[in-house]
Amino acid sequence: MPMNDQHIFRNRREKHSGALRRPWVPGVALLTLALVTGLWLYSHFQPEARVRRASTKLAVLVQKQEEESDMALALAANRLSQQLEPQAKLSVEGYGIALAERTEIVQLFAQLRRTFARIELSGSRVAARQQPNGEILAQVVAKYRLVYHSEEKAGNGQADLWWRKTDQGWRIRHVEIYLENTESWPALP
């Protein structure tokens, strides 16, 4: 009889010995999950990623699909104003610095939204890279379509947004706009 008991214990040890050899599998899976999560968090909260997301939101903010109320216009202008430094500059390729303050840029933004019936950006792509001086350059490239009364202008455009870290977070210091076919644009009021 003692022989059978020894045989049972020996079989039990042999059956479970494989399970004792594999405890590292859940540990490796957990470590892999922690590594992937850590990499995602690192890339998600990097300054370039934050600026890329903010620039994408700004490209959406610029668009206008239909007539809007004065309240909607004011809200959009306020959102733009929150992204700009007080001494922000706006320049257009070929013209140099067009506007040199946040209030002027916001006023131009509001005037353009009132003037155009539609402002559309399609296929927009945003790339951001850190500059040696600590600023981040975000380049937004998109196809634009502007509808002004019965006239329509379309083309390719690019906006370079120079973001700087301030006490209030990342703010735009300078905007440079590059548009094609500007010589044939309708005269704005």
Side-chain angles (χ1 to χ4, degrees), residues 26-187:
V28 168
L30 186 61
L31 183 61
T32 303
L33 178 65
L35 181 64
V36 169
T37 303
L39 286 173
W40 177 82
L41 286 172
Y42 174 75
S43 66
H44 184 74
F45 291 109
Q46 275 189 317
E48 291 92 346
R50 288 180 178 195
V51 165
R52 190 178 314 110
R53 286 191 302 274
S55 299
T56 302
K57 288 179 183 178
L58 201 57
V60 171
L61 176 68
V62 167
Q63 297 183 63
K64 176 185 174 186
Q65 300 299 326
E66 56 192 27
E67 287 301 317
E68 60 188 356
S69 68
D70 289 339
M71 185 61 81
L73 175 63
L75 182 60
N78 184 43
R79 287 183 181 155
L80 174 66
S81 176
Q82 291 173 355
Q83 299 297 321
L84 299 170
E85 283 188 357
Q87 300 302 318
K89 293 176 180 32
L90 173 84
S91 58
V92 179
E93 179 189 32
Y95 297 100
I97 293 180
L99 302 170
E101 284 187 13
R102 172 175 44 198
T103 55
E104 292 177 352
I105 295 170
V106 171
Q107 287 172 356
L108 176 67
F109 173 76
Q111 181 181 2
L112 290 175
R113 287 182 75 91
R114 280 193 188 113
T115 302
F116 290 111
R118 294 178 74 95
I119 301 172
E120 297 175 359
L121 300 175
S122 62
S124 61
R125 296 183 318 271
V126 179
R129 65 176 183 263
Q130 186 93 29
Q131 300 300 304
N133 62 359
E135 293 182 349
I136 296 179
L137 170 63
Q139 294 179 316
V140 181
V141 178
K143 294 181 181 197
Y144 64 86
R145 181 175 168 257
L146 307 171
V147 178
Y148 176 73
H149 297 297
S150 61
E151 294 188 54
E152 179 180 315
K153 296 296 175 188
N156 296 316
Q158 175 178 327
D160 290 348
L161 307 171
W162 296 90
W163 293 79
R164 183 183 347 198
K165 180 74 172 180
T166 66
D167 295 337
Q168 293 82 30
W170 288 94
R171 299 289 183 259
I172 298 172
R173 175 186 64 81
H174 186 93
V175 178
E176 189 156 355
I177 298 176
Y178 306 91
L179 301 172
E180 66 179 23
N181 303 329
T182 55
E183 57 277 346
S184 65
W185 280 27

Side-chain angles (χ1 to χ4, degrees), residues 6-38:
Q6 288 177 350
H7 181 53
I8 291 173
F9 288 123
R10 191 176 317 138
N11 283 343
R12 184 177 276 171
R13 260 189 256 131
E14 288 174 3
K15 287 180 184 176
H16 295 293
S17 64
L20 294 174
R21 290 184 199 153
R22 285 183 262 142
W24 57 270
V25 173
V28 168
L30 186 61
L31 183 61
T32 303
L33 178 65
L35 181 64
V36 169
T37 303

